[in-house]
Amino acid sequence: MSKLMYDFGLVGLGVMGHNFILNVADNDFTVCGLDLDEEKVRSLIEAGGDSQKVTATTEVGTFVTSLSSPRKIMLLVPAGDLVDKAIESLLPHLDQGDIIIDGGNSFFTNTDRREAYLKEKGINFFGAGVSGGAEGARKGPSIMPGGNKEAYEYIRPIFEAASAKFKGEPCVTYLGPKSAGNYVKMVHNGIEYGLMQLTSEIYDVLKKTCDLSNDELSATFDQWNKGRLQSFLIEITAEIFMKDDNIAEGRLVDNILDKARQKGTGKWTSQNAMDLGIPVPSIDIAVSMREISALKDIRLKADEIYSRPEPVVRDKSELLKQAEEALYFSFIVTYAQGLHQLAEASESYGYELNLSEVAKIWRAGCIIRAALLDDISTTFSEAPGLKNILMATSFVTKVQAALPSVRALVSHGVKSGIPLPGLSNSLTYFDAFTSGRLPLNLIQAQRDHFGSHTYERIDQEGIFHTDW
Ligand code: 6PG
């Protein structure tokens, strides 16, 4: 290892860490990596070439002393105990003012705990969500950092250089104190779950009721990706339909088991939205659908017990138009719900989030990047304090115009026995959110009837109870 003082340190040389180091080095910073696995250390040094910008070691003391002060050390290790272990191994070697950045999908309360613990020792701790997968890490991810604002200035040049760029603007910004970064990344993933579920439903309805081939599905998604639905998820969906299977006949997508796994970030988004009292049903149902998908054995048996209607065959061009409008509508609703959750979390947890900036750093690099986010960012910048984009005049016309198609498509799914829970939940959320009067007066009456829980009236102030 050379005697150079390195600008940046990274612990965990898995594919994300390896790639992120090469990305940072491409941007003219020197980087040292740490991993206990000698093979990973060797592979990184080899990938770094002769430039002297990259080195790596298995020895924590050597690693820490090779870094310039204040040390900027990023952890890219799996969320959970390993983060605490990595922190403990670094601590004896660190000085006051050094900075540790957790780049994993850590649960936000763990980030708060770690930040408080390290603050007592004079170490600045950042939770910084990184989105974009292995390719994003190498070519430019979206980075969502939260922590101490002054300390962020030390890491800002590195993150701005290594992040994805949208029309030249870096897809990273200081988001807020404490766990603001991890929280924003968690909700990013919740939205990701929602968008993926919606896309799979459109695939189902087009395949089952219009008999679209994989070639036609690919062409459809490709065409949509050139319009207002332009997004990473739509782009890769078009690619997926074209991939041949190299083990069996046909296209790979048809031979993949319909059981979706999950690591937990979508579920955390839903759970915390409930704690905050903010409805995010398009995300909730996406989590539930992964759970239903996992019950494959019982689903197969239930499929034999119950009959379902024959899919209603529809005119292709009309259905395609409705599908595009329904997808656009439900994408808007899903972003609206996730961002509404962020607005509430910002107040409840003191994150001081700027939602326009959040939408801005999601415009490139991350999994939910989409043309829509540019509109969303502008909307929030024009209306600071806005909580739900469905209330913004810029979205009213777009949403209103799509509604007849959404209603037609959801009814088509119901008549054909095709589950469209993401689309229908987005629609019913919208119908409820935009209803001046809901039937929940009856629920209040029931609560008061069986439990004397009291109710309020529409015509008088105060709390009432009736002897029913
Ligand atoms: C990203 C992704 C990533 C996530 C995977 C898998 O932003 O790069 O969100 O962080 O871990 O998408 O998530 P699930 O296994 O829960 O689907």
Side-chain angles (χ1 to χ4, degrees):
M1 214 165 124
S2 90
K3 291 267 170 272
L4 259 178
M5 292 303 269
Y6 289 84
D7 301 317
F8 190 63
L10 195 146
V11 181
L13 303 182
V15 63
M16 290 289 289
H18 177 105
N19 282 2
F20 194 67
I21 287 180
L22 296 178
N23 173 3
V24 172
D26 281 348
N27 286 287
D28 280 337
F29 293 97
T30 52
V31 197
C32 180
L34 172 72
D35 202 293
L36 298 180
D37 184 335
E38 281 178 19
E39 186 43 46
K40 286 183 178 151
V41 166
R42 238 195 324 270
S43 146
L44 178 70
I45 294 174
E46 205 177 292
D50 304 328
S51 67
Q52 305 266 310
K53 282 192 269 181
V54 174
T55 191
T57 170
T58 55
E59 223 294 300
V60 65
T62 314
F63 169 74
V64 174
T65 48
S66 78
L67 302 173
S68 61
S69 180
R71 300 182 179 95
K72 298 158 278 296
I73 301 173
M74 185 152 172
L75 314 178
L76 275 172
V77 299
D81 291 349
L82 286 178
V83 176
D84 294 303
K85 286 199 179 112
I87 291 171
E88 289 307 322
S89 74
L90 291 168
L91 264 180
H93 307 278
L94 297 181
D95 293 315
Q96 297 238 337
D98 285 348
I99 300 166
I100 300 179
I101 308 145
D102 175 13
N105 281 331
S106 289
F107 191 58
F108 71 100
T109 54
N110 285 335
T111 300
D112 287 331
R113 169 178 58 78
R114 289 169 186 141
E115 200 237 12
Y117 169 69
L118 288 169
K119 199 176 187 172
E120 279 176 16
K121 301 179 187 303
I123 308 293
N124 286 300
F125 184 69
F126 281 80
V130 178
S131 178
E135 191 176 325
R138 182 69 187 87
K139 295 183 183 159
S142 168
I143 312 176
M144 294 155 244
N148 178 291
K149 197 169 185 178
E150 285 77 50
Y152 179 69
E153 286 308 307
Y154 291 107
I155 44 181
R156 188 166 65 87
I158 299 173
F159 276 5
E160 287 188 354
S163 71
K165 308 288 178 298
F166 180 85
K167 295 186 180 158
E169 284 184 74
C171 287
V172 59
T173 191
Y174 172 77
L175 288 173
K178 300 182 290 182
S179 54
N182 280 122
Y183 196 93
V184 168
K185 177 61 174 33
M186 176 185 80
V187 173
H188 164 285
N189 282 26
I191 295 172
E192 172 186 306
Y193 274 50
L195 305 182
M196 291 167 81
Q197 173 60 29
L198 292 162
T199 316
S200 75
E201 292 174 19
I202 293 291
Y203 154 58
D204 205 19
V205 80
L206 292 181
K207 192 174 162 77
K208 289 192 180 139
T209 71
C210 262
D211 204 22
L212 253 60
S213 66
N214 284 317
D215 284 3
E216 288 171 311
L217 284 163
S218 176
T220 301
F221 279 86
D222 190 48
Q223 190 197 333
W224 289 347
N225 192 45
K226 297 190 171 92
R228 60 189 181 167
L229 275 173
Q230 191 277 315
S231 57
F232 173 70
L233 287 168
I234 297 291
E235 178 191 327
I236 63 165
T237 303
E239 284 171 22
I240 286 169
F241 292 121
M242 297 306 286
K243 187 77 180 170
D244 285 329
D245 195 343
N246 61 9
I247 294 179
E249 284 288 291
R251 299 278 160 86
L252 178 56
V253 68
D254 296 320
N255 295 330
I256 294 180
L257 188 66
D258 55 333
K259 276 166 86 167
R261 292 180 189 270
Q262 49 180 323
K263 295 201 199 78
T265 45
K267 183 180 76 180
W268 296 343
T269 307
S270 277
Q271 286 172 326
N272 191 254
M274 292 222 181
D275 289 343
L276 293 173
I278 296 297
V280 294
S282 305
I283 297 171
D284 301 338
I285 198 65
V287 178
S288 297
M289 282 305 288
R290 292 201 188 190
E291 290 158 1
I292 293 181
S293 84
L295 304 175
K296 175 82 176 176
D297 294 346
I298 195 163
R299 278 196 288 121
L300 282 170
K301 287 186 191 126
D303 196 359
E304 281 172 16
I305 299 172
Y306 291 97
S307 62
R308 63 178 62 239
E310 276 299 308
V312 180
V313 178
R314 288 276 312 273
D315 171 69
K316 202 186 275 184
S317 69
E318 192 193 34
L319 193 72
L320 283 175
K321 180 178 171 289
Q322 287 176 357
E324 191 271 345
E325 296 200 310
L327 201 50
Y328 182 62
F329 166 88
S330 49
F331 269 27
I332 292 176
V333 168
T334 306
Y335 284 112
Q337 292 173 8
L339 286 155
H340 194 167
Q341 177 171 351
L342 285 182
E344 184 58 37
S346 183
E347 280 181 16
S348 295
Y349 305 135
Y351 288 150
E352 299 156 30
L353 293 178
N354 176 332
L355 294 182
S356 173
E357 293 294 310
V358 171
K360 245 186 192 176
I361 64 166
W362 286 348
R363 290 177 304 175
C366 67
I367 305 296
I368 65 167
R369 62 186 184 256
L372 243 180
L373 283 162
D374 203 27
D375 302 340
I376 293 175
S377 173
T378 309
T379 300
F380 278 114
S381 71
E382 285 167 0
L386 178 75
K387 296 206 161 159
N388 192 309
I389 55 168
L390 293 174
M391 301 305 290
T393 41
S394 53
F395 275 95
V396 173
T397 332
K398 293 175 185 152
V399 167
Q400 195 74 49
L403 276 167
S405 284
V406 189
R407 296 190 196 286
L409 193 82
V410 168
S411 342
H412 172 58
V414 172
K415 285 186 205 137
S416 302
I418 296 172
L420 302 177
L423 291 161
S424 53
N425 263 21
S426 301
L427 178 59
T428 47
Y429 163 86
F430 174 83
D431 282 336
F433 185 76
T434 56
S435 287
R437 181 146 171 98
L438 289 168
L440 287 278
N441 49 326
L442 181 61
I443 291 177
Q444 281 297 75
Q446 290 167 330
R447 292 177 70 245
D448 192 54
H449 189 299
F450 65 64
S452 303
H453 294 301
T454 73
Y455 56 89
E456 290 168 274
R457 296 184 54 90
I458 56 172
D459 53 357
Q460 286 180 40
E461 289 284 312
I463 301 294
F464 295 84
H465 166 62
T466 294
D467 185 3
W468 296 86

